[in-house]
Amino acid sequence: RDRSPSRGLGDVYKRQGESYKGFLDKKGKLKFYIPFDEDAIDADIYRYDVNFNNGYNWFVYDNIFYVIDTDGMIKSQYDADKVADYGGGYTWLEEEENVSWDDAGFWKYTLYSPEGGEVCDYTVSNQDLENLSFKRSYMGDGKFLYKKMDGTKEVCVLVEPELGKETELNVSFDKAEEHGMRDGLIIETGAMDDGYWAGDENPFHITVIGNGEEKEIEIPSQYLGPFGGYPTLLDWTKKYALFTVRQDDQDIYFLCDLETGDIKKYTGKYAPYFKYYSTTTSCIEDNVLALSMYGEDNQFYVCLINADTMKEIADPIAGESFSMEDKTLLIDQKELYDLSGNLLYTVEDGKKGELVSDGILQVTYSEEEKETVDGESEYVEVDKTDYYDLKGKKLFSEMDTADSKMVLEPSEEV
């Protein structure tokens, strides 16, 4: 679940027979738009991403890679063929250097800030394709992981450009990348001392990485599955990590306090109804848990639990899939609730809802519209999007395109 700020609103804007990706404000005003290649839908879905992760987005035009802010201002630009990775306004460039018949040369990877300043670089020998060993991963919040080699030893490095820090972590790159970063924290799970299973010799633990430090917390053996099976990490906040583990045909939910290491298990009246493993939609926001359960009527439900007290907040709500954002709960893409269990809005039949940050519910659907081509009329399916606030008030559906401008290279005229 992406908690990075400044997700945007977007739609496809057609003008004079051409299509563009447009960015809207909450009143439906088209702030700016960028061109895209309609033939690249399957090959490059990121051209349609409207997520201003960390306050930035990007697009490619005429083989130039542009980084833009939420006002549509171009902050930096690069040769698109050299871009190796991107995240939150930060761009990795890959450049091969010093190659000759008697020298394999090297690859240089350089990370640039949104404004184009150099953050860090790493050089890898091109001998025997060693450059393939260089891995990096965007973790959200403007932070990156990358893997480097110190002799034969793999070293995982966390780059936090806004803090001006590079920190070598005591976990592998793959483990640190596995769950991603949320609320500024990386959590790695496993058995201590690289054991094959958790038990007395290799107890199960979590490593919490954030705020410039690493902390290991051991999980007591009573919270493991049969034969030392690992619990499943579902979600976390700055204060709690939410786990589930299978014991005696029941799913057990428990919380680990990331500050104290204390464990709390839910044992309330709904506990007997946690019967099915892979409850990966269960999640936590602030101090509220949304847990998946299976009722006596063979239907799925969501129950809301106060994480501080482990007490039920409301009666279970029917639904199988759900997500939490901005202190609201969206169930089966149809019903929107607050975190006290009150129904706020129901999406009409035939439509699908999706929570968007900054207090927006996006509702998508299709309608038949009459289209005339070469003098002949036909009805075609047209994708539509409406936007609502989190109390169900419709904000807009038709965008206002007056005075909007296309983002272009600064030297070109609009």
Side-chain angles (χ1 to χ4, degrees), residues 18-56:
E18 297 182 355
S19 295
Y20 305 88
K21 182 171 68 173
F23 296 89
L24 319 173
D25 63 20
K26 289 184 180 182
K27 295 181 179 180
K29 173 69 177 178
L30 183 65
K31 298 175 64 176
F32 58 89
Y33 56 96
I34 59 178
F36 66 77
D37 181 1
E38 294 191 53
D39 295 331
I41 290 177
D42 294 328
D44 191 357
I45 192 64
Y46 294 106
R47 292 180 188 270
Y48 303 87
D49 184 12
V50 297
N51 186 348
F52 274 87
N53 190 288
N54 201 42
Y56 298 95

Side-chain angles (χ1 to χ4, degrees), residues 260-297:
T260 66
D262 294 338
I263 304 294
K264 296 191 291 187
K265 182 172 70 171
Y266 176 72
T267 59
K269 60 182 178 181
Y270 303 134
Y273 298 97
F274 301 143
K275 300 177 181 179
Y276 284 83
Y277 198 57
S278 300
T279 52
T280 53
T281 53
S282 294
C283 51
I284 179 173
E285 180 170 325
D286 294 333
N287 69 330
V288 177
L289 305 173
L291 305 181
S292 179
M293 58 174 278
Y294 198 68
E296 293 286 0
D297 58 355

Side-chain angles (χ1 to χ4, degrees), residues 206-264:
I206 65 175
T207 301
V208 183
I209 303 167
N211 301 319
E213 62 180 27
E214 295 181 49
K215 177 170 60 177
E216 283 194 343
I217 300 175
E218 181 178 333
I219 304 298
S221 59
Q222 64 262 38
Y223 296 102
L224 306 182
F227 309 107
Y230 290 1
T232 299
L233 176 62
L234 298 175
D235 198 6
W236 69 89
T237 63
K238 289 183 178 180
K239 186 174 182 180
Y240 295 116
L242 172 64
F243 291 86
T244 185
V245 65
R246 200 80 195 277
Q247 294 180 350
D248 299 326
D249 297 324
Q250 291 284 308
D251 290 339
I252 307 299
Y253 288 107
F254 66 91
L255 290 175
C256 177
D257 188 311
L258 299 179
E259 297 177 356
T260 66
D262 294 338
I263 304 294
K264 296 191 291 187

Side-chain angles (χ1 to χ4, degrees), residues 2-276:
D2 179 16
R3 289 196 177 95
S4 298
S6 301
R7 290 186 62 186
L9 303 179
D11 211 337
V12 175
Y13 168 47
K14 293 183 180 292
R15 182 176 67 88
Q16 298 177 349
E18 297 182 355
S19 295
Y20 305 88
K21 182 171 68 173
F23 296 89
L24 319 173
D25 63 20
K26 289 184 180 182
K27 295 181 179 180
K29 173 69 177 178
L30 183 65
K31 298 175 64 176
F32 58 89
Y33 56 96
I34 59 178
F36 66 77
D37 181 1
E38 294 191 53
D39 295 331
I41 290 177
D42 294 328
D44 191 357
I45 192 64
Y46 294 106
R47 292 180 188 270
Y48 303 87
D49 184 12
V50 297
N51 186 348
F52 274 87
N53 190 288
N54 201 42
Y56 298 95
N57 205 318
W58 66 270
F59 70 99
V60 174
Y61 181 74
D62 197 21
N63 209 43
I64 302 296
F65 185 97
Y66 295 98
V67 177
I68 59 176
D69 64 16
T70 55
D71 292 319
M73 299 297 294
I74 294 173
K75 308 303 291 185
S76 55
Q77 58 191 66
Y78 311 93
D79 181 343
D81 292 333
K82 295 182 179 180
V83 174
D85 213 339
Y86 167 87
Y90 294 87
T91 309
W92 282 100
L93 294 193
E94 177 185 62
E95 298 175 277
E96 189 176 23
E97 300 185 11
N98 289 359
V99 179
S100 66
W101 70 270
D102 61 347
D103 186 350
F106 60 88
W107 287 88
K108 183 178 181 181
Y109 294 87
T110 308
L111 180 64
Y112 290 91
S113 71
E115 291 75 22
E118 185 172 327
V119 174
C120 65
D121 64 77
Y122 181 58
T123 300
V124 186
S125 170
N126 199 28
Q127 186 70 37
D128 299 323
L129 299 177
E130 184 183 334
N131 63 297
L132 297 179
S133 69
F134 179 68
K135 293 183 179 180
R136 63 267 162 196
S137 179
Y138 180 59
M139 303 298 285
D141 298 324
K143 299 177 175 64
F144 267 93
L145 281 179
Y146 75 85
K147 183 183 79 170
K148 68 177 184 179
M149 301 302 295
D150 183 2
T152 60
K153 179 184 177 183
E154 173 191 313
V155 178
C156 179
V157 180
L158 175 64
V159 183
E160 300 175 277
E162 293 183 1
L163 300 178
K165 295 178 59 177
E166 288 188 58
T167 306
E168 294 188 4
L169 307 181
N170 294 319
V171 297
S172 70
F173 175 89
D174 292 339
K175 275 291 188 181
E177 181 191 34
E178 182 178 1
H179 301 294
M181 173 178 280
R182 305 176 197 183
D183 287 352
L185 298 178
I186 298 172
I187 294 185
E188 180 252 353
T189 63
M192 290 184 176
D193 300 322
D194 296 323
Y196 288 102
W197 64 82
D200 293 337
E201 296 181 359
N202 303 107
F204 182 80
H205 76 294
I206 65 175
T207 301
V208 183
I209 303 167
N211 301 319
E213 62 180 27
E214 295 181 49
K215 177 170 60 177
E216 283 194 343
I217 300 175
E218 181 178 333
I219 304 298
S221 59
Q222 64 262 38
Y223 296 102
L224 306 182
F227 309 107
Y230 290 1
T232 299
L233 176 62
L234 298 175
D235 198 6
W236 69 89
T237 63
K238 289 183 178 180
K239 186 174 182 180
Y240 295 116
L242 172 64
F243 291 86
T244 185
V245 65
R246 200 80 195 277
Q247 294 180 350
D248 299 326
D249 297 324
Q250 291 284 308
D251 290 339
I252 307 299
Y253 288 107
F254 66 91
L255 290 175
C256 177
D257 188 311
L258 299 179
E259 297 177 356
T260 66
D262 294 338
I263 304 294
K264 296 191 291 187
K265 182 172 70 171
Y266 176 72
T267 59
K269 60 182 178 181
Y270 303 134
Y273 298 97
F274 301 143
K275 300 177 181 179
Y276 284 83

Side-chain angles (χ1 to χ4, degrees), residues 298-364:
N298 298 322
Q299 300 296 318
F300 283 96
Y301 289 83
V302 184
C303 55
L304 298 176
I305 307 295
N306 184 302
D308 297 326
T309 64
M310 299 303 272
K311 299 296 184 180
E312 300 83 7
I313 294 174
D315 292 335
I317 305 168
E320 183 171 355
S321 64
F322 52 93
S323 60
M324 284 201 293
E325 192 83 54
D326 291 328
K327 298 184 179 180
T328 56
L329 174 70
L330 181 65
I331 298 181
D332 292 337
Q333 296 187 296
K334 298 296 290 184
E335 294 183 329
L336 185 69
Y337 292 83
D338 65 21
L339 297 190
S340 295
N342 300 309
L343 180 64
L344 300 175
Y345 177 69
T346 301
V347 177
E348 296 176 17
D349 290 341
K351 300 181 179 183
K352 294 181 178 180
E354 179 184 359
L355 287 171
V356 180
S357 292
D358 299 327
I360 298 292
L361 175 66
Q362 177 177 287
V363 177
T364 56

